[in-house]
Amino acid sequence: MTSDALKSRFTFNNVKGDLFGGITAGVVSLPLALAFGLQSGLSPVSGLYCAIFLGAIAVIFGGTYTLISTPTGPMTVVAALTISQAIGKTGSLELAMGTILAIFILSGGVQTLFGIFKLGNNVKYIPYPVLSGFMTGIGIILILFEIYPLMGLASPSTIKGVVVGVPHDIGNINLSAFGLGVLTLVILYLTPKFSTMIPATLIALIAGTLVSIAGGLDVPLIGEVPQGLPNLQLESLLTVSFSDPWFIISAALTLGALGCIDTLLTAVIVDKITETKHQSNQELIGQGLGNIASGLFGGLPGAGTTMSSIVNVKAGGRTRLSGIVSSIFLLAVLLGLGTYAQYIPIPVLAAILLSVGMDIIDYNGLKEVAQVEL
């Protein structure tokens, strides 16, 4: 594979491959976007908004032509903790919404500034043990947060609440929900052994939902997903609380820096597959603009996504058109197909996120830690 097809921002020399790659990436991104939106503490559709706005804007203005950007595990975990803290300061999600969106928008501004001041190349100086420990910690947190939803129960808002609460609440487990979650995990891990033509996450999502409906299972569902184009959240932004400005600044810096690292690490992986070289600083500008737009419309912050990007390239995506197609596909879901999303069981999404958390953990890093002599 040569890099010629990736040199121009927009070409139509690979329309068939870009269409197939973009649609396939969109199919893979859909269940994850809904799951991350739900896990964040906002709503499933907030993840979809992110995948649509960030996905399109980042690929148009960024520096990696086949990168698919959506909510990610690390970004969602930090966003969820931020949302929880904001609610704790105001008393309700409604009162905290302005502050939350302001943080998301500012985090995009941080990324844009990082790109403008050409700080993107500095990610290579971050020590591997730091990244390994950070990603493993994120993976563990993501797994812990999905224990309660997997059991069909409402999850505590803090890690401490989960750890302390599980021994007491395990007796209240919803067996139907737990069984459905286990079935989803089995499908996720067995499907790739038989076929890689259809994404395992999509098969697991559809199969779990159909089993829930056909069996009339009493399990928590996503519920109604808003249809139609999202609105600018200007009214919410007018309610921003400046009583604790350091909280807003520190949270925005954390999300912005994490988004930079998350994206550029994924861009390096995409480079290896496509035999190209991304433009780090331009990519951060694109990501920043995308996250600003996502926040303005009530979406989560996100970053370049390894799984969807690899699927895009493997399915034939070679230019920016593939990323635009992915966002258009998700927009179509929002404008019509989303009416069926309300029947998706929460335990199914929890199982999908549980597998994502397990994939994020750096097992090689843990092995090296175990071999360290004190």
Side-chain angles (χ1 to χ4, degrees), residues 56-79:
I57 293 175
V59 78
I60 291 172
F61 296 101
T64 316
Y65 296 175
T66 53
L67 193 68
I68 303 295
S69 299
T70 67
T72 67
M75 289 293 281
T76 301
V77 167
V78 176

Side-chain angles (χ1 to χ4, degrees), residues 287-311:
Q287 290 287 326
L289 294 175
N291 276 322
I292 289 173
S294 177
L296 285 171
F297 286 94
L300 289 175
T305 310
T306 303
M307 184 187 301
S308 299
S309 299
I310 292 176
V311 165

Side-chain angles (χ1 to χ4, degrees), residues 19-43:
L19 286 174
F20 192 69
I23 292 173
T24 307
V27 168
V28 172
S29 299
L30 176 60
L32 292 175
L34 293 171
F36 283 133
L38 183 67
Q39 197 271 331
S40 71
L42 292 184
S43 66

Side-chain angles (χ1 to χ4, degrees), residues 104-192:
F104 292 171
I105 293 169
L106 286 174
S107 71
V110 169
Q111 290 181 290
T112 304
L113 289 175
F114 276 18
I116 292 174
F117 289 108
K118 302 187 182 304
L119 299 177
N121 298 327
N122 294 328
V123 71
K124 62 186 177 183
Y125 296 115
I126 299 176
Y128 169 73
V130 173
L131 289 176
S132 174
F134 182 80
M135 298 305 291
T136 296
I138 289 292
I140 292 173
I141 290 174
L142 189 55
I143 291 171
L144 289 174
F145 267 132
E146 298 313 313
I147 291 177
Y148 270 83
L150 192 70
M151 297 192 301
L153 305 175
S155 180
S157 59
T158 64
I159 295 297
K160 180 180 178 181
V162 171
V163 175
V164 174
V166 166
H168 301 285
D169 294 329
I170 196 168
N172 300 321
I173 187 174
N174 181 328
L175 292 177
S176 296
F178 184 72
L180 195 60
V182 171
L183 173 64
T184 303
L185 284 171
V186 170
I187 294 173
L188 283 170
Y189 285 102
L190 288 184
T191 297

Side-chain angles (χ1 to χ4, degrees), residues 1 6 63-67 264-280 313:
M1 182 189 302
L6 297 174
T64 316
Y65 296 175
T66 53
L67 193 68
L264 295 182
L265 290 177
T266 302
V268 170
I269 295 173
V270 173
D271 281 350
K272 291 180 180 179
I273 298 174
T274 59
E275 299 179 7
T276 59
K277 184 173 178 58
H278 71 278
Q279 300 171 10
S280 297
V313 174

Side-chain angles (χ1 to χ4, degrees), residues 3-28:
S3 61
D4 292 339
L6 297 174
K7 287 182 179 178
S8 174
R9 281 179 176 268
F10 298 99
T11 65
F12 296 93
N13 299 328
N14 187 54
V15 173
K16 182 178 179 181
D18 288 334
L19 286 174
F20 192 69
I23 292 173
T24 307
V27 168
V28 172

